[in-house]
């Protein structure tokens, strides 16, 4: 028998391990850390720790997993990461209580079937190994939530599917993708190229010259977005299809562009000398790209029209500021073949480095994609999309969703199915949507954004849009917060982006010194910010009190008024609230809540500004004041125009703008199969949400790649109210019942949260004893034929319960203010 003894230089570590095991044995310790001890063998005495729950052996020199570990029957967590292990032994399956198994940074090439016997496993980390296949049996690990397989290139799973180390994707999603792809796959070889820049810089000319080799000096301005496909050779025998999205540069359309800037795309930011103000230009577009296309969205900066008007920019400065994004600078002229060849080469080079282009696409996904592309209609319903997926063997809803995210980002089939009003889940011809929206934007410039649905139909009828599809486009515009229905007798809607530039005389009547003042300072005021705010708060403003860059809101119940307007030169939005002192903070809370929701879409958060009483022109940074308060400072110092110095009380200034009511946080628990129903409720809760009274959360708000399990649990433990949508699918879902419901009950029993339930349809909910803890709305009556009445009553029921909660200090989470 070969006995492995530690070599001399490992001896210290080995002795230290023996010592720690001895201590653990005598103190009945549940955790033992033997990491970083240079161990190649584990002391045999470890077998005496039968009660040990967690053992770390990471960062050692272990080549073979010792079979002594099988004695540690109580082990829940085992880390063998960063060793030199090349195979996982079958006896590991005996550790049936393992929840966490970490084997990253080893040399493992095969995952044995025995892992599937670890039925309690929640986390399995196999990152940075040499794994080339995964056994089908892993699917049996029904509790597995986190599976880290990064750094195993032979598996061929793209990053988008794997997630990142901080935000891994759900394990089942990774496995589903892997097994689907194993049945046959090939690189996707499609990518999206997006051109942005001010009007007239030469975006369309560049596209045409690149794709056809011909330059037309009489190019016309692009209205909306022009989409074209370009078959581009990456190497001698490899061609990729590039979907080019050429954005019209006119300012009026910038706000709308945001909705079509996507991840997994390559961006060309085009500038020309004539357009001037290059630093600001670049800032504006790069911020927009980062906010919507992702922090690391790749950008090539194209300095165009060099022949007639040569120019350069501060390349070093820009690279410093946008190092994650700017990949290259290229000087071009459409009339100069050499520079165009250079641009083409740079694009090809960048495309070559894009992982999404090389992502291995399961064969069945290709079939689905091709069938969607063959469809003659402009859009299909979510059900039709799912049917097509199923026809080609893609039955898992999660995989269907992953595929649709790809199709959306690539601009092959857009999907906006989060909105319950949108009957058509999938838009197959993106141009059909963009042309519809931009046509309407142009058509209603004259009426300053006012129109009736009938007028919209007539405008789009000329472009062969059916009445039904016009309804779809209008719903999409509402969803994008580009327009809203005025609710008047003519059924008119308004696009605030097209409002008058002039502020009404009413605005000048505000006495700023006497107001409660607040503001936001931006690096650049994003296009469409105020129009979007006007859409969100339209229930508080009159038509005459809205203009393109401002609005006056009136809070009828408290007779407070607020003037909100942008000061583009100062890069600020300024807010002035007038009315009874006691109620000003209520209206300000609504305003701040709505800005906060819009700001969520921007990567760069503005600075919040507060003002000492009576001094509307001396802003102080709110976060700085808070820092000073934490340090114990009592007063701030402000030098006025006439050089006198005032010392406002810091706490008073902060308190004057603090929200008197914290929104009630609601967690919506439901089965994904009933998602359409949940959307009905969300519509009815919308107004309360916009008034800052509630903050609803449901798991569709998880961002791509987020650690879903952890985030759901966090939201659950922070919610003030947990609302359960009861149905047979809800009760059949382990996650809904075992995790969400169980946590909800625990929190209710601890007096931390309120529970509300409503019954979607008869499902035997009375049999579930735990549900007695819930306040069941409508006495448990389920959704009948009168849908509207049902949802109104459910929303009213929730509202009533919330009224009781509002203002009451809430347990279970830190309380501000
Ligand atoms: N000489 C020369 N003219 C150019 C070049 N690029 C564009 N132009 C001219 O500039 C004008 C505007 O070009 P477009 O390609 O339409 O510019 P654009 O950026 O697409 O403009 P929008 O669609 O309005 O945003 C046209 O008259 C082009 O012929 C160039 O590289 N050299
Ligand atoms: Mg153009």
């Amino acid at each position: 028998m070969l006995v492995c003894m530690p070599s001399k230089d490992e001896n210290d570590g080995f002795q230290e391990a023996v010592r720690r095991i001895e201590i653990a044995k005598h103190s009945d310790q549940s955790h033992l850390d033997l990491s970083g001890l240079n161990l190649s063998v584990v002391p045999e005495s470890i077998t005496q720790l039968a009660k040990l729950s967690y053992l770390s052996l990471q960062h050692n020199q272990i080549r073979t997993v010792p079979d002594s570990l099988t004695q540690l029957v109580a082990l829940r967590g085992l880390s063998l990461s960063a060793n030199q292990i090349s195979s996982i032994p079958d006896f590991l399956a005996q550790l049936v209580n393992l929840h966490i198994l970490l084997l990253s940074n080893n040399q493992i090439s095969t995952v044995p079937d025995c892992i599937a016997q670890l039925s309690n496993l929640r986390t399995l980390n196999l990152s940075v190994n040499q794994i080339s296949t995964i056994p089908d049996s892993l699917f049996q690990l029904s509790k597995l939530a986190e599976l880290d397989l990064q750094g195993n290139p032979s598996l061929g799973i793209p990053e988008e599917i794997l997630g990142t180390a901080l935000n891994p994707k759900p394990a089942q999603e990774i496995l589903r993708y892997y097994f689907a792809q194993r049945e046959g796959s090939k690189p996707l070889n499609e990518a999206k190229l997006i051109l942005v820049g001010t009007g007239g810089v030469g975006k369309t000319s560049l596209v045409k010259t690149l794709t056809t080799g011909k330059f037309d000096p009489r190019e016309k301005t692009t209205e909306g977005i022009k989409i074209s496909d370009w078959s581009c050779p990456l190497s001698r025998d490899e061609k990729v299809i590039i979907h080019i999205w050429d954005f019209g540069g006119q300012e009026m359309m910038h706000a709308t562009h945001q909705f079509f800037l996507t991840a997994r795309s390559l961006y060309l930011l085009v500038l020309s000398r004539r357009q001037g103000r290059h630093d600001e230009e670049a800032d504006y577009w790069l911020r927009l790209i980062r906010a919507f296309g992702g922090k690391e969205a790749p950008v090539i900066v194209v300095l165009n029209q060099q022949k007639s008007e040569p120019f350069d920019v501060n390349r070093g400065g820009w690279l410093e500021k946008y190092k994650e994004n700017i990949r290259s600078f290229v000087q071009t002229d459409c009339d100069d073949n050499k520079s165009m060849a250079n641009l083409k080469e740079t694009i090809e080079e960048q495309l070559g480095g894009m992982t999404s282009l090389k992502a291995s696409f399961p064969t069945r996904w290709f079939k689905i994609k091709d069938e969607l592309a063959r469809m003659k209609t402009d859009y299909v319903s979510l059900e039709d999309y799912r049917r097509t997926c199923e026809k080609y063997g893609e039955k898992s809803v999660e995989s269907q969703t992953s595929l649709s995210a790809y199709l959306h980002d690539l601009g092959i089939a857009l999907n906006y199915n989060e909105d319950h009003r949108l009957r058509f889940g999938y838009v197959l011809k993106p141009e059909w949507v963009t042309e519809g929206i931009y046509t309407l934007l142009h058509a209603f410039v004259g009426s300053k954004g006012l129109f009736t649905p009938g007028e919209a139909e007539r405008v789009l009828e000329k472009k062969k849009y059916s009445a039904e599809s016009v309804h779809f486009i209008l719903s999409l515009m509402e969803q994008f917060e580009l327009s809203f229905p005025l609710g008047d007798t003519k059924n008119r809607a308004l696009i605030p982006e097209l409002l008058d530039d002039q502020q009404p005389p009413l605005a000048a009547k505000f006495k700023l010194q006497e107001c409660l003042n607040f503001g936001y300072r931006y690096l650049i005021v994003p296009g469409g910010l105020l129009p979007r705010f006007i859409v969100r708060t339209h229930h508080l403003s009159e038509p005459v009190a809205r203009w393109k860059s401002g609005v006056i809101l009136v809070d009828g119940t408290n007779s407070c008024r607020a003037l909100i307007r942008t000061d583009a030169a100062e890069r600020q939005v300024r807010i002035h609230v007038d009315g009874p002192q006691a109620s000003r903070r209520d209206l300000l809370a609504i305003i701040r809540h709505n800005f906060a929701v819009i700001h969520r879409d921007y990567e760069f958060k503005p600075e919040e500004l507060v003002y000492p009483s009576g001094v509307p022109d001396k802003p102080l940074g709110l976060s700085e004041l808070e820092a000073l308060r934490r340090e114990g400072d009592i007063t701030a110092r402000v030098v006025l125009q006439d050089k006198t110095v005032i010392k406002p009380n810091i706490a008073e200034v902060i308190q004057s703008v603090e929200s008197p009511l914290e929104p009630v946080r609601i967690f919506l628990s439901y089965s994904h199969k009933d998602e359409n129903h949940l959307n009905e409720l969300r519509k009815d809760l919308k107004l309360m949400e916009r008034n800052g009274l509630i903050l609803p959360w449901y798991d569709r708000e998880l961002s791509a790649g987020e650690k879903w399990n952890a985030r759901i649990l966090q939201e659950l433990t922070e919610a003030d109210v947990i609302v359960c949508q009861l149905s047979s699918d809800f009760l059949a879902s382990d996650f809904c019942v075992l995790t969400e419901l169980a946590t909800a009950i625990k929190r209710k029993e601890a007096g931390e949260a309120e529970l509300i339930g409503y019954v979607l349809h008869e499902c035997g909910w009375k049999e579930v004893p735990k549900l007695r803890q819930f306040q069941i709305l409508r006495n448990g009556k389920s959704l009948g034929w009168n849908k509207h009445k049902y949802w109104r009553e459910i929303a009213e029921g929730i509202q009533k319960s919330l009224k009781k909660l509002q203002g009451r200090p809430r347990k279970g989470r830190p309380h501000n203010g």
Side-chain angles (χ1 to χ4, degrees), residues 357-563:
L357 189 80
K358 292 271 136 244
S360 172
F361 230 52
T363 312
R364 61 170 88 144
W365 283 18
F366 273 101
K367 289 184 186 149
I368 298 164
K369 177 176 86 66
D370 292 343
E371 169 132 355
L372 291 174
R374 276 196 304 274
M375 287 184 179
K376 293 271 182 290
T377 52
D378 295 313
Y379 46 79
V380 291
S381 67
L382 183 60
E383 288 72 33
D384 281 344
Y385 169 72
R386 296 220 187 284
R387 225 167 281 137
T388 309
C389 288
E390 277 165 22
K391 182 169 145 194
Y392 292 104
E394 192 51 273
K395 296 200 169 69
S396 132
V397 173
E398 281 83 2
S399 300
Q400 293 172 358
T401 310
S402 298
L403 171 60
S404 64
Y406 262 103
L407 298 175
H408 180 86
D409 287 349
L410 288 171
I412 296 168
L414 308 179
N415 50 89
Y416 301 101
N417 50 37
E418 299 106 66
D419 196 301
H420 56 95
R421 291 162 305 183
L422 304 178
R423 268 196 41 223
F424 320 111
Y426 287 78
V427 175
L428 301 173
K429 315 266 184 304
E431 254 172 325
W432 175 83
V433 162
T434 55
E435 194 180 335
I437 294 181
Y438 290 107
T439 306
L440 292 179
L441 283 177
H442 275 284
F444 302 123
V445 170
S447 67
K448 301 209 186 309
L450 266 182
F451 66 97
T452 64
E455 285 164 346
E457 274 174 33
R458 279 193 291 283
V459 169
L460 287 181
E461 198 181 14
K462 290 184 204 133
K463 301 214 166 198
K464 310 247 177 317
Y465 284 70
S466 68
E468 192 183 40
S469 58
V470 174
H471 169 80
F472 173 80
I473 304 263
L474 293 179
S475 304
L476 206 53
M477 287 174 70
E478 273 181 49
Q479 192 190 329
F480 286 169
E481 297 181 344
L482 280 171
S483 71
F484 63 89
L486 290 174
D488 63 4
T489 48
K490 289 191 199 152
N491 203 12
R492 286 182 306 176
L494 176 71
I495 306 171
E497 193 69 42
L498 305 178
L499 278 168
D500 206 339
D501 285 312
Q502 301 296 323
Q503 67 176 35
L506 211 59
K509 297 221 166 95
F510 274 76
K511 296 198 176 91
L512 307 189
Q513 268 103 337
E514 292 167 20
C515 290
L516 168 62
N517 298 307
F518 190 83
Y520 295 100
R521 184 170 14 230
Y522 300 80
L523 286 162
I524 191 155
V525 180
L529 173 75
L530 239 285
R532 235 184 114 183
F533 178 82
I534 295 173
V535 173
R536 290 189 61 88
T537 55
H538 68 264
H539 57 292
L540 297 174
S541 67
E542 290 294 321
V544 291
R546 300 171 186 140
W547 63 106
K548 202 195 242 159
S549 58
V551 63
I552 295 171
L553 301 186
V554 180
D555 178 357
T557 46
N558 296 318
S559 50
C560 277
R561 296 180 314 151
L563 167 66

Side-chain angles (χ1 to χ4, degrees), residues 130-407:
Q130 287 143 23
I131 299 167
S132 52
T133 55
I134 305 174
D136 294 17
S137 55
L138 277 206
F139 254 138
Q140 293 165 20
L141 293 172
S142 59
K143 293 180 186 162
L144 191 67
E146 284 178 25
L147 172 64
D148 195 340
L149 288 169
Q150 287 167 64
N152 288 290
S154 312
L155 282 174
I157 309 178
E159 278 169 40
E160 284 81 359
I161 300 292
L162 288 175
T164 61
L166 283 177
N167 291 313
K169 283 282 182 76
Q172 299 297 328
E173 199 172 305
I174 299 174
L175 290 175
R176 256 185 231 111
Y177 174 89
Y178 173 75
F179 292 116
Q181 169 215 252
R182 216 181 38 177
E183 287 165 21
S185 67
K186 55 182 180 175
L188 175 60
N189 278 351
E190 287 188 38
K192 189 168 162 193
L193 178 72
I194 298 178
L195 288 96
V196 295
T198 319
V201 290
K203 297 178 292 297
T204 310
S205 306
L206 285 168
V207 172
K208 291 209 177 151
T209 318
L210 271 176
T211 53
T212 65
K214 287 188 207 113
F215 166 51
D216 175 5
R218 289 157 305 159
E219 192 58 58
K220 286 201 207 79
T221 182
T222 312
E223 303 208 338
I225 304 171
K226 182 95 191 66
I227 303 169
S228 52
D229 281 355
W230 176 32
S231 172
C232 166
L234 261 200
S235 61
R236 200 183 301 162
D237 43 23
E238 202 178 8
K239 268 195 175 173
V240 293
I241 297 175
I242 311 296
H243 307 284
I244 304 183
W245 286 51
D246 167 20
F247 283 65
Q250 291 172 28
E251 204 181 333
M252 186 188 84
M253 297 183 280
H254 290 187
T256 315
H257 290 348
Q258 297 172 4
F259 305 107
F260 304 109
L261 300 182
T262 40
R264 304 178 237 244
S265 308
L266 174 64
Y267 288 84
L268 295 194
L269 165 58
V270 188
L271 302 163
S272 77
R273 175 171 170 172
R274 210 173 319 153
Q275 259 52 36
R277 295 174 43 210
H278 297 128
D279 288 328
E280 286 156 55
E281 272 297 280
D283 253 9
Y284 175 81
W285 288 108
L286 286 165
R287 265 177 235 297
L288 217 55
I289 291 170
R290 286 177 65 130
F292 296 96
K295 262 189 203 148
E296 292 175 10
V299 179
I300 300 173
V301 180
V302 182
L303 310 174
N304 193 34
Q305 307 195 14
Q306 287 290 335
K307 251 171 121 176
S308 48
E309 296 181 82
F311 75 107
D312 207 340
V313 293
N314 177 7
R315 298 183 187 203
W318 290 17
L319 274 174
E320 202 180 309
K321 213 163 163 189
Y322 291 105
K323 53 178 175 299
E324 290 102 338
N325 305 99
I326 298 181
R327 301 295 155 89
S328 189
F329 290 88
V330 188
Q331 288 179 307
T332 55
D333 196 292
C334 297
D335 211 9
D336 170 23
N337 293 342
K338 205 167 151 208
S339 71
M340 289 309 291
N342 186 19
L343 175 63
K344 199 167 170 181
E345 220 170 88
T346 313
I347 292 175
E348 285 166 7
E349 209 174 284
Q350 287 306 322
L351 288 173
M354 285 175 73
T355 49
S356 55
L357 189 80
K358 292 271 136 244
S360 172
F361 230 52
T363 312
R364 61 170 88 144
W365 283 18
F366 273 101
K367 289 184 186 149
I368 298 164
K369 177 176 86 66
D370 292 343
E371 169 132 355
L372 291 174
R374 276 196 304 274
M375 287 184 179
K376 293 271 182 290
T377 52
D378 295 313
Y379 46 79
V380 291
S381 67
L382 183 60
E383 288 72 33
D384 281 344
Y385 169 72
R386 296 220 187 284
R387 225 167 281 137
T388 309
C389 288
E390 277 165 22
K391 182 169 145 194
Y392 292 104
E394 192 51 273
K395 296 200 169 69
S396 132
V397 173
E398 281 83 2
S399 300
Q400 293 172 358
T401 310
S402 298
L403 171 60
S404 64
Y406 262 103
L407 298 175

Side-chain angles (χ1 to χ4, degrees), residues 682-697:
R682 294 191 74 220
K683 178 181 72 174
D684 284 318
L685 296 180
K686 198 105 213 154
L687 199 63
M688 283 200 273
E689 187 184 344
R690 287 189 175 170
N691 282 340
L693 297 175
I694 58 167
L695 209 62
W697 193 88

Side-chain angles (χ1 to χ4, degrees), residues 6-54:
S7 68
K8 214 166 173 42
D9 46 350
E10 296 161 25
N11 226 354
D12 289 350
F14 187 81
Q15 291 311 327
E16 174 61 19
V18 170
R19 196 180 69 80
R20 290 189 196 176
I21 292 171
E22 203 54 25
I23 296 173
K25 195 172 97 190
H26 292 296
S27 60
D28 242 358
Q29 214 167 280
S30 61
H31 290 60
L32 178 62
D33 184 1
L34 298 180
S35 59
L37 294 178
N38 211 17
L39 299 176
S40 58
V41 282
V42 178
E44 197 59 29
S45 55
I46 197 140
T47 53
Q48 297 166 22
L49 303 180
K51 289 187 191 159
L52 196 68
S53 301
Y54 293 93

